[in-house]
Amino acid sequence: MTRPAEHTRNLIIKAAVSLFAEKGFERTSVRDIVTKARVNQAAINYHFKGKDGLYSEVLKMAFERLTESAGVDAEELKSLSREQALQRFVHHQLRPLLFKDEMSRYIHMFAWESAHPSKVFRKFIATNTTSYLSAAVDIVRRFLPPNTHERAALCVAIGLMGQCSVFVRNRDLFAQDPFRMAIDERFVDELTDLITRVAIGGLPHVNGANLNTA
Amino acid sequence: MTRPAEHTRNLIIKAAVSLFAEKGFERTSVRDIVTKARVNQAAINYHFKGKDGLYSEVLKMAFERLTESAGVDAEELKSLSREQALQRFVHHQLRPLLFKDEMSRYIHMFAWESAHPSKVFRKFIATNTTSYLSAAVDIVRRFLPPNTHERAALCVAIGLMGQCSVFVRNRDLFAQDPFRMAIDERFVDELTDLITRVAIGGLPHVNGANLNTA
DNA sequence: ATTCAGTTCAAACAGCTGTTTGAATTGGGA
DNA sequence: TCCCAATTCAAACAGCTGTTTGAACTGAAT
């Protein structure tokens, strides 16, 4: 494989990440991608054997980057107090509201997936048993009563992430007319504080007997 | 307007509600709808002047039914204790997990919209200043410190609904392999209890000074 | 210089989308 | 009975989608 090939591959992936994050997988056409990447129409099929293949690659990359990323790094989080760990996790979930770095784009992509799981994503999640949720489960566990069932902890973690992602997904809607929220760094910080406070106050009240179904 | 016209209108709306709830607006084609409704291709454009017009009609209907529905009926909720009101509201949000009645389909539709706000929905929400969220805000207010800013109460309400809708949207995903949740009435009851407990414990800890930005 | 796999490219493909057309049918009012 | 507007219908339309084609180009190895 020669150099220029690698080059256009990277161009495509970069453009794809950006567009998938912005509009989601289904609303992004291959023509959008090749235009943004300044690459030929057929390049995607040549290099990734199809739009699905490209998405698969992008998801894999995003997933790897995210799980090994600082915001949900298991070791670092364990060195923090549980309150700090939770705060950092929530903030990490909300940061995409600001559209900034690469990680934010990845989280944005997963937010779209959480809304409309695609065929590709379903397969992908099925082969990744080490779930993206495990970090969240570890964090909430530190607040839950010790006898809390694993299934209940999982649901709490899902709820926490849902609480964050609803803002990320609807960013534009809430910025609009009936709500007019000014979504800047201050807003994100305060929203982080809000969600964190509610969680800290609420999680210890989970009944350990909940959701102990097989 | 003669009788048969009204008849096919109803056939179309019924089929559309069902399909929009199941797959969302964008993933449902007009051919899907006319096939299910056993109606001619052009009927949608004749009666609703387009797919968007039909969706607009369906959203309007769903919205009216929902806001006046028992689950979020303002008066009834006020007659309950705040814990009971919250519990009922959460359960109402989670009920679509069971796919059952008409209301569940409507809530399902709004869950899709919350994920992927369509053009039609954006216009729709913009002209409905009496927001769907007001009921939720009223409920959470009863738990929040009295000096809590309106903006903060709104965010808490959004978070609460996000916490519920993440389960509704990802129903199929969580029923699948890595999670294998058996989503039956017992599960919904216990999840309702879980989310309600966390909220009851957490909401009083909201800092009244949060999110007081204009 | 020649070869040839790797890579790019413009063009076309088949399939789906929402919408429009114009003729056929319907059914109540004159 | 005739009329005529309202409604239904099969067919076609234009536009988008992801993918394929086959020729042109590239650049290192022979």
Side-chain angles (χ1 to χ4, degrees):
Chain A
M1 191 182 296
T2 60
R3 286 302 126 207
E6 201 79 22
H7 181 58
T8 72
R9 261 185 76 98
N10 291 337
L11 285 179
I12 292 172
I13 285 190
K14 195 172 168 188
V17 166
S18 165
L19 287 168
F20 288 160
E22 183 191 343
K23 311 196 290 178
F25 174 68
E26 304 205 326
R27 292 186 171 189
T28 302
S29 72
V30 300
R31 280 166 183 82
D32 290 342
I33 299 171
V34 298
T35 300
K36 178 150 195 162
R38 299 179 160 281
V39 153
N40 184 268
Q41 183 86 248
I44 287 179
N45 289 278
Y46 178 75
H47 287 284
F48 304 93
K49 36 188 252 176
K51 190 189 176 191
D52 284 12
L54 168 60
Y55 191 43
S56 205
E57 202 93 344
V58 168
L59 277 181
K60 198 176 123 202
M61 209 185 69
F63 186 83
E64 282 169 2
R65 293 288 190 89
L66 272 181
T67 47
E68 78 195 10
S69 108
V72 290
D73 180 42
E75 285 190 39
E76 188 189 352
L77 287 178
K78 269 170 192 157
S79 73
L80 300 174
S81 74
R82 59 181 198 174
E83 287 81 8
Q84 286 173 319
L86 178 60
Q87 164 116 15
R88 167 150 329 180
F89 180 79
V90 170
H91 191 268
H92 189 252
Q93 294 295 309
L94 292 176
R95 207 174 43 180
L97 280 172
L98 300 172
F99 289 110
K100 285 227 307 233
D101 53 3
E102 194 188 11
M103 287 305 155
S104 298
R105 273 198 282 275
Y106 294 156
I107 294 198
H108 231 108
M109 280 180 38
F110 279 92
W112 284 121
E113 274 304 335
S114 151
H116 255 336
S118 59
K119 273 177 289 176
V120 182
F121 186 69
R122 259 186 261 256
K123 267 189 205 163
F124 177 80
I125 213 56
T127 59
N128 276 277
T129 43
T130 60
S131 171
Y132 179 62
L133 281 163
S134 62
V137 171
D138 287 345
I139 292 173
V140 300
R141 266 233 171 273
R142 296 169 73 181
F143 292 89
L144 297 173
N147 62 335
T148 305
H149 194 277
E150 176 63 22
R151 183 58 52 95
L154 180 62
C155 284
V156 170
I158 291 170
L160 181 64
M161 295 186 61
Q163 218 170 337
C164 296
S165 72
V166 67
F167 289 96
V168 174
R169 281 196 322 275
N170 296 317
R171 201 204 110 95
D172 295 341
L173 186 66
F174 294 141
Q176 258 191 359
D177 209 17
F179 308 103
R180 294 199 160 285
M181 297 186 185
I183 297 173
D184 50 16
E185 304 201 7
R186 183 177 163 195
F187 175 83
V188 171
D189 288 343
E190 293 184 346
L191 185 57
T192 300
D193 190 50
L194 193 73
I195 293 176
T196 306
R197 276 172 190 276
V198 172
I200 291 175
L203 297 191
H205 293 79
V206 167
N207 183 340
N210 276 132
L211 287 164
N212 57 354
T213 61
Chain B
M1 191 182 294
T2 61
R3 287 302 127 208
E6 202 79 22
H7 181 59
T8 73
R9 262 186 76 98
N10 291 339
L11 286 179
I12 291 172
I13 286 189
K14 194 172 167 187
V17 166
S18 166
L19 288 169
F20 289 160
E22 183 191 343
K23 311 196 289 177
F25 174 68
E26 305 205 325
R27 292 187 172 190
T28 302
S29 73
V30 300
R31 280 168 181 81
D32 289 342
I33 299 170
V34 298
T35 301
K36 178 149 194 163
R38 300 180 160 280
V39 155
N40 184 268
Q41 182 87 249
I44 288 179
N45 290 279
Y46 179 76
H47 287 284
F48 304 93
K49 37 188 252 174
K51 190 190 176 190
D52 284 11
L54 167 60
Y55 191 43
S56 206
E57 201 93 346
V58 168
L59 276 180
K60 199 175 122 202
M61 209 185 72
F63 186 84
E64 282 169 2
R65 292 289 189 88
L66 271 182
T67 47
E68 76 194 8
S69 106
V72 290
D73 181 42
E75 285 191 38
E76 188 187 353
L77 287 179
K78 270 170 193 156
S79 74
L80 300 173
S81 75
R82 59 181 197 173
E83 287 80 8
Q84 285 174 319
L86 178 62
Q87 162 117 16
R88 168 148 332 177
F89 180 79
V90 170
H91 191 268
H92 189 252
Q93 294 295 310
L94 292 176
R95 206 174 44 180
L97 280 171
L98 300 172
F99 289 109
K100 286 228 307 232
D101 53 3
E102 194 188 13
M103 289 303 154
S104 298
R105 272 198 283 275
Y106 294 155
I107 293 197
H108 231 107
M109 279 181 37
F110 280 91
W112 284 122
E113 274 302 335
S114 152
H116 257 335
S118 58
K119 274 176 290 179
V120 181
F121 186 70
R122 261 187 258 257
K123 268 189 205 161
F124 178 79
I125 215 56
T127 59
N128 275 277
T129 44
T130 60
S131 169
Y132 178 63
L133 280 162
S134 62
V137 171
D138 287 346
I139 292 172
V140 299
R141 266 231 170 275
R142 297 169 72 179
F143 292 90
L144 297 173
N147 62 334
T148 304
H149 194 278
E150 177 63 22
R151 183 59 52 95
L154 180 61
C155 284
V156 169
I158 291 170
L160 180 64
M161 294 185 62
Q163 220 170 336
C164 297
S165 71
V166 68
F167 289 96
V168 174
R169 282 197 320 276
N170 297 316
R171 199 203 110 96
D172 295 340
L173 186 66
F174 293 141
Q176 258 190 0
D177 209 16
F179 308 102
R180 295 200 158 283
M181 298 184 183
I183 298 172
D184 50 15
E185 303 202 7
R186 182 176 163 195
F187 175 83
V188 170
D189 288 343
E190 293 184 346
L191 184 57
T192 300
D193 191 49
L194 192 73
I195 293 176
T196 306
R197 276 173 190 275
V198 172
I200 292 176
L203 298 192
H205 293 81
V206 167
N207 183 340
N210 276 134
L211 286 166
N212 56 356
T213 63

